[in-house]
Every structure is written in structure tokens, then in C-alpha cells.
Amino acid sequence: MKYVLVSGGVISGIGKGIIASSTGLLLKTKGLRVSAIKIDPYLNIDAGTMAPTEHGEVFVLDDGGEVDLDLGNYERYLNIRLTRENNITTGKMYKHVIEKERKGHYIGKTVQVVPHLTDAIQHWIERVAKIPVDDTNEEPDVCIIELGGTIGDIESAPFTQAMTQLRRRAGKGNFLHIHVSLIPLVNGEQKTKPTQQAIKEVRSQGLKPHLIACRCLEPLELSTIEKISMFCQVVPERVIAVHDVSSTYHVPLLLEEQGLIPLLWEILHLDLLTQPPSLIKKGIKTWNAWRTLTTSRDHLHQTITIALVGKYTNLQDSYLSVIKSLEHAAMACSRKLDLVWVGASQLETATENSSPADYNKAWQTVSTAQGVLVPGGFGHRGTEGMIAAAKWARMNKVPYLGICLGMQIAVIEFARNICNIPEAGSQEFDGDIPTPTPDKVISFMPEIDPTTLGGNMRLGIRATHFQQGSEWSKLRALYHASTLSDSSASLTNGTSPKSSEVPHPTTASSDCPVILERHRHRYEVNPEYISKLTSHGLSFIGKDDTGERMEILELEDHPWYVGVQFHPEYMSRVLKPSKPYLGFVAASAGCLGQVTTDLGRKSSLNGEVNGVLALEDGMDGVKI
């Protein structure tokens, strides 16, 4: 097994995740099988109980693991499917060691950070690195390890020590260390002192980086590279400039242009590995597709404006997968995405009274957008503003997409204004408002324990069955046009949950297609209100395996008014956009019919659209 460690210095949030993902992508383009592990040095067992404003979005995996957002980057860039064990936290490792101690595993020894915790970290990495993560169902050749935080922080000290030991344990030619540092621009001059100090700190911890990735505003000057080379004791060729670019999709190209692939080959002795010709061929196609995508994106001129009405708009990483899914869909529609952010609370009457300017500005943004999206969230704050936005989109025939909470918001709005249930609300909101809602059209799922928060939701990949009589559905047409095998998640790649642990759909037919999407919720549409909602025209076109839980709603007499209980953004890929997002953006851009037709034509012509070979991203790589 070959390991690539990516660490960071000077500041956090420096771009380690994108550099780690891009490095893995470059290795995959050469026919290698690549896995990834993220280390987060916080005491939480997982990211599930953390607010999005604390650490960005919580990404959900097939097995229901609630993990750091960087695992989403790994899956999107590397086309792999990871498990909860690919995300290591301090809390998870301490819990692991303490449980072993309680069982007498250490046979009376004094359990210490070194060697017991550091050994446990290494064993965990060595075990998880070997788990197949792609359609080959074979052990990966290389594992990317991203060490979160900043080297020198007290929280990351045990992991730094463990990486020092892993380097020695793996042996020469099997371990490569990339350290990401900052080159600030002060009065027009590129300053290297922060990087010099960062490398000094790394070495004091026992690590010696092979490559230094320098984050900077502009390309590094030759004199800057030479200075870093001299004071950090690396040859100039191993100083990689990662300057700001128009899109993160350009980073792999940037690294490739600076010769990262030959450096990886040299340091890791990758020439000793044997790659199957089929994977080499697939890698070439992947790279050609990626280059084509990023080049064409820079030449898009038509813009599509989408208003995101959310609760956590002060930190955009709270909706990272939503943003990426919109980008994927916009590129598929040959549009440049203009995403405008609207704090849901700004749309409420309370804001109209306290700050009329903010209120009017927010409504101006919503009313001029070509599409309105309400993403997931928790709690009562801002929900009245979301309901108002959903009503605006419904009444004015503006494309609307509701994700998880956004679907429930659409149900509440419809119940209040169409079904004449003026007090309709959600059981979730009762704890945050003085007067409980009498008509709870959204209720707590009975199987969920209300006293426990961590890992206690309906999580992971689950089946949704399109219903009889929903042939008119625009969303169903998109899923059907791309065929079930493309729109659903393959669960036989040996990556995530074992087949016995994951709900599988029944055999699907063109009459009632079945899709698999990832979920994360505690509340559902109250079954007691389904008949009244449907009798007034709200169609629940998708339901779970039992037929009792509502998964998808859609209005027939609307250009695009769709709500989904699942989170389709978790499975969107650069070359294979999520269908709900694709339909939403296409409807907003006025090209939904053409997009649906092209998907069907591609399927019927075995990958050709209008006589041109079409690229498609899937678990088995890029197909042509």
C-alpha cells in the first residue's frame, strides 16, 4: 500500500481537501485505484451533531455515516464510495481505545497516547486503506490521507506522531508527504517566512515533507520558489504553486501542469505497480473528460440565477454539496451559475417591521431569480420566510426545488393556502415557539428516539418507488431517461455497507422505476394528512418501500415544483448531475424539455447525443 499524506500549516481552511482530491484524481487518471481517509482532530465521534456553521455541511455516506465535507470532495473527484470508517476523529479513536481497554485487550498495561493511541490510529488507517471503494472491487493501490487542522495544534499532536510512525512503518517508496502552506502577498511582495516557519514546525514534529504546496493569490515568482527551496531544503521542482483559479475544477490541471504526476511516480516508485490496461484506458478517458469540462466551463456566457433561501447563509460551506450539485447541473445545461444567497429570516414580516431595507432587498432577490431552492436545515428559525418563498414560487410558476426540510416547507405552505389548514406546521418547530402548532402536517418519525441526537436519524441510502399514475412527472422522466442503472446507486462495489445491511429496491420496471438516494431526517409528512393533501392536487409521486412514507412531491400544473425528502446532492457528480438538481436548473433555464430528450437519446444511442459521443460519469468510471 502506498500512502500520500496531505497536511497544512499557517492557517486552517487553506485548501488541503481540494489538493488531496486533485492528487487522487491525477493518480486515477494513470490507472491506479485510489482510496481516501480524512482525519479530524476534534472530540466529536462524528460530524452529525455539529452545526453547519461550525464546520461546514455534514456529508452523508451510503452506510449512513455523518462525516466531514471533505469526504464529499473525495467522492466527487475520485468517483468512489466511502464508509464512515474513512473519517477518523479524536473522539472516535479515544472511544475505540477505551473500549478495548475495558475489554482487557491491553492486559493490565498502562494505556497511553504513545504507543496505544498512535498504534490504534495506524492500524485503523492500514485496515481501512485496503477496503475496495470502486467498481473493480479490488484493494486500492494508493490511499490519500488528509490530516485536518494545522500542524502544531495540540489537538492534532497524536495524529502527527502516528503519521511519523506510519512513515517509518510503510518504508521508503511507500509514503509521500505533501505539506500545504501559505504565501501571503504583502504590498505586492510574496512572503515566504510563514512557510519557512511552518516547515520548521512540521520537522520538529518528526515529519519531513517531500513536496510543498504553496497557496497563493498569484503564480509563484521564480525568486520565491528558489527562496522556499533554499530555506526549506527541497529542490525547486518540489515546490508546487497552487494559486487562486476561477474554479476548483482547475486545480487538478494546475498540479498536472507543474509536473506533479512524475514526482508522485518518482517518490512512490509507482513504476513498480502493474495497472490493468482497462484501468489505464479508463484513466485517459477520465482525464480527457475533465479537461473538456473545465475548458468549456470557462467559455459559458448564458447565466442562470438561482436564489438559495436558507438558514445558514453566513457560511456557504454549510451548503457545499448543494452548491456543487447546482454547478454540475448548470454545466450540463451550458449555463454559468449565478447563485444568490437569501437569509430565510429576511423574508419574514418581523424583518419587514424591524429592517424594511433588508426585507425589500431579500424579496427583490427572490422575485428576480429564475429559480428558488430551499435546502435542508433544522429548527424553526427562518421557516416562515421559507414558506413565503415556496408560496411565491408556486403562485408565480417559478421553478422550485425543496430538499428535505424544503420539501416539508412546501407541504406546510400547500396545506395552509390550498387545503385551508391555516395553522399547519411541523412538530419540529413546537419546541421553538410559544404556542404549539395544532395541525402538524409534518410529524416526528415513530422509530426515532427523541432523547438521542448523535447518529439518530433516518440515515444513508434508501429506496424510493415512483408510484402508479405518475408517468406525467418531469422528475420521473429524467430518472427514466437516464435508465435505472445510471440514476440509482450501485451497491455491489464492495465499498460501503454490506448488501445485507442496506435496503435494496425490489425489481424495478419501466412502469414503476425505483431509485436509491441518501437520506438524513427525523421528520416526515404526517400520514394522517396525506389524503387531504392529495385530494387538493399535491401529488406524492415517490414513496418508500412500505408505501407509507412520502419521498417525492410534485405539482403537475407547474413548470417545476418538486420536493424530495432525500438529499440528492450527496450523489451528484461532475459528469453526472443529480436528476432533481438537473431538472430544476434546466427548468429555470427554459431547457428542461431538451435536457430530458437528450438524456433519452443518449441512452437509446448507446452514449451518442446528436451523433456526438457523450461522456457519462458513474461508479465504473467515465463511459464513452
Side-chain angles (χ1 to χ4, degrees):
M1 175 62 64
K2 309 285 186 180
Y3 300 99
V4 176
L5 171 65
V6 179
S7 63
V10 184
I11 60 172
S12 59
I14 200 170
K16 298 185 299 294
I18 295 299
I19 292 172
S21 301
S22 300
T23 302
L25 174 63
L26 291 178
L27 290 168
K28 286 206 72 170
T29 64
K30 295 301 180 180
L32 295 171
R33 291 171 286 263
V34 183
S35 184
I37 293 173
K38 173 66 186 298
I39 297 174
D40 285 302
Y42 45 66
L43 283 172
N44 304 64
I45 299 296
D46 59 31
T49 58
M50 295 167 60
T53 50
E54 282 284 317
H55 206 65
E57 76 167 1
V58 176
F59 191 80
V60 177
L61 303 170
D62 281 356
D63 64 357
E66 298 173 285
V67 297
D68 183 80
L69 59 83
D70 277 314
L71 275 79
N73 284 326
Y74 304 154
E75 287 202 344
R76 284 187 287 267
Y77 274 66
L78 306 182
N79 238 355
I80 57 179
R81 305 281 280 284
L82 302 173
T83 72
R84 67 183 71 217
E85 294 197 332
N86 290 82
N87 193 188
I88 299 174
T89 71
T90 299
K92 186 181 291 186
M93 292 313 307
Y94 271 102
K95 181 174 181 286
H96 174 68
V97 170
I98 290 171
E99 286 177 347
K100 291 176 67 176
E101 186 275 332
R102 290 289 84 189
K103 293 176 182 179
H105 177 84
Y106 299 108
I107 319 178
K109 293 181 180 178
T110 301
V111 181
Q112 299 175 292
V113 173
V114 181
H116 302 102
L117 181 62
T118 53
D119 282 350
I121 294 168
Q122 293 173 77
H123 294 152
W124 189 292
I125 290 172
E126 289 174 332
R127 174 177 58 83
V128 174
K130 295 179 181 179
I131 298 175
V133 292
D134 59 24
D135 62 299
T136 66
N137 204 29
E138 296 178 358
E139 181 179 314
D141 302 303
V142 182
C143 180
I144 308 292
I145 306 168
E146 180 188 347
L147 177 55
T150 304
I151 293 289
D153 290 347
I154 190 171
E155 294 91 347
S156 60
F159 295 106
T160 306
Q161 178 62 30
M163 293 302 98
T164 302
Q165 296 175 14
L166 181 63
R167 172 179 176 147
R168 182 176 64 254
R169 188 169 178 152
K172 185 177 181 181
N174 294 319
F175 189 96
L176 181 148
H177 183 189
I178 302 174
H179 190 67
V180 186
S181 188
L182 177 68
I183 302 293
L185 193 66
V186 180
N187 295 326
E189 181 183 357
Q190 293 177 342
K191 295 292 187 178
T192 64
K193 190 65 70 176
T195 294
Q196 294 178 41
Q197 294 299 317
I199 296 300
K200 181 180 179 181
E201 177 65 32
V202 172
R203 288 186 173 141
S204 72
Q205 300 286 327
L207 288 168
K208 185 178 180 181
H210 298 89
L211 305 174
I212 302 174
C214 299
R215 287 286 291 113
C216 44
L217 293 173
E218 303 170 350
L220 289 183
E221 299 172 359
L222 180 59
S223 59
T224 303
I225 294 174
E226 291 175 343
K227 195 171 183 179
I228 294 170
S229 171
M230 178 174 62
F231 285 102
C232 298
Q233 301 171 29
V234 295
V235 295
E237 292 76 18
R238 296 190 179 187
V239 178
I240 308 295
V242 190
H243 58 264
D244 288 357
V245 287
S246 59
S247 165
T248 56
Y249 304 120
H250 285 281
V251 176
L253 278 70
L254 187 63
L255 298 178
E256 189 264 348
E257 290 168 359
Q258 296 182 72
L260 180 59
I261 293 177
L263 289 172
L264 296 172
W265 239 253
E266 173 193 347
I267 298 169
L268 290 174
H269 301 167
L270 295 176
D271 55 308
L272 300 179
L273 299 180
T274 301
Q275 294 90 46
S278 60
L279 290 184
I280 295 175
K281 183 179 179 180
K282 186 185 296 183
I284 294 172
K285 291 179 179 178
T286 299
W287 188 237
N288 289 338
W290 195 278
R291 293 181 67 94
T292 301
L293 173 74
T294 54
T295 301
S296 62
R297 186 179 187 273
D298 291 337
H299 298 287
L300 296 177
H301 299 293
Q302 288 183 283
T303 300
I304 179 72
T305 302
I306 301 297
L308 188 153
V309 180
K311 298 165 66 75
Y312 318 116
T313 53
N314 57 325
L315 179 65
Q316 296 182 6
D317 272 358
S318 300
Y319 302 109
L320 183 61
S321 290
V322 172
I323 297 170
K324 295 303 179 184
S325 299
L326 289 170
E327 290 177 352
H328 302 164
M331 287 186 283
C333 296
S334 299
R335 298 293 193 275
K336 183 176 292 185
L337 177 66
D338 177 21
L339 183 59
V340 291
W341 299 82
V342 180
S345 300
Q346 302 298 306
L347 300 172
E348 298 178 349
T349 53
T351 302
E352 182 181 18
N353 297 328
S354 62
S355 181
D358 291 338
Y359 176 83
N360 291 329
K361 181 180 179 181
W363 272 110
Q364 173 70 13
T365 301
V366 170
S367 62
T368 55
Q370 294 165 269
V372 176
L373 186 148
V374 177
F378 296 93
H380 180 259
R381 181 179 63 83
T383 53
E384 290 301 320
M386 295 177 183
I387 292 169
K391 180 181 179 181
W392 162 268
R394 180 180 58 80
M395 295 185 64
N396 291 278
K397 303 293 184 181
V398 174
Y400 174 88
L401 178 61
I403 304 297
C404 197
L405 175 63
M407 170 183 163
Q408 297 169 9
I409 289 294
V411 171
I412 294 171
E413 188 280 323
F414 194 89
R416 288 182 183 180
N417 299 300
I418 301 298
C419 300
N420 195 28
I421 310 176
E423 299 299 319
S426 170
Q427 188 176 352
E428 180 179 9
F429 308 154
D430 283 355
D432 298 328
I433 56 179
T435 305
T437 303
D439 290 297
K440 300 177 179 62
V441 295
I442 305 298
S443 60
F444 199 83
M445 292 189 293
E447 69 269 30
I448 303 299
D449 179 7
T451 63
T452 303
L453 292 181
N456 187 38
M457 282 190 270
R458 185 168 177 254
L459 294 164
I461 199 160
R462 297 175 185 271
T464 294
H465 300 249
F466 282 101
Q467 300 298 293
Q468 293 277 357
S470 64
E471 291 78 9
W472 55 266
S473 164
K474 302 176 185 66
L475 178 59
R476 174 172 168 167
L478 284 171
Y479 275 110
H480 180 66
S482 61
T483 74
L484 179 65
S485 61
D486 292 336
S487 63
S488 299
S490 170
L491 297 175
T492 58
N493 55 6
T495 71
S496 2
K498 297 177 182 177
S499 58
S500 61
E501 299 171 348
V502 180
H504 283 257
T506 57
T507 302
S509 68
S510 58
D511 294 332
C512 289
V514 183
I515 59 173
L516 295 173
E517 297 280 3
R518 295 175 182 175
H519 292 66
R520 186 178 186 247
H521 64 111
R522 293 189 182 92
Y523 297 86
E524 63 175 335
V525 181
N526 191 334
E528 296 179 5
Y529 290 85
I530 300 299
S531 59
K532 187 166 187 177
L533 290 165
T534 54
S535 67
H536 283 77
L538 188 61
S539 299
F540 292 101
I541 62 168
K543 300 181 181 181
D544 73 342
D545 287 320
T546 66
E548 297 177 356
R549 183 158 287 150
M550 305 301 107
E551 291 280 1
I552 307 174
L553 68 80
E554 186 171 349
L555 292 180
E556 186 172 1
D557 60 345
H558 196 284
W560 182 274
Y561 196 92
V562 171
V564 294
Q565 188 59 72
F566 46 82
H567 288 265
E569 63 269 19
Y570 293 143
M571 295 178 67
S572 185
R573 299 293 181 262
V574 177
L575 302 177
K576 183 191 170 190
S578 157
K579 298 305 178 293
Y581 283 93
L582 178 60
F584 168 62
V585 172
S588 301
C591 60
L592 177 59
Q594 185 62 49
V595 166
T596 306
T597 300
D598 285 349
L599 277 175
R601 185 178 298 123
K602 179 177 69 173
S603 178
S604 63
L605 297 178
N606 295 321
E608 289 194 10
V609 179
N610 297 328
V612 179
L613 288 175
L615 290 166
E616 178 184 307
D617 202 7
M619 271 305 300
D620 53 351
V622 176
K623 306 176 197 172
I624 293 189

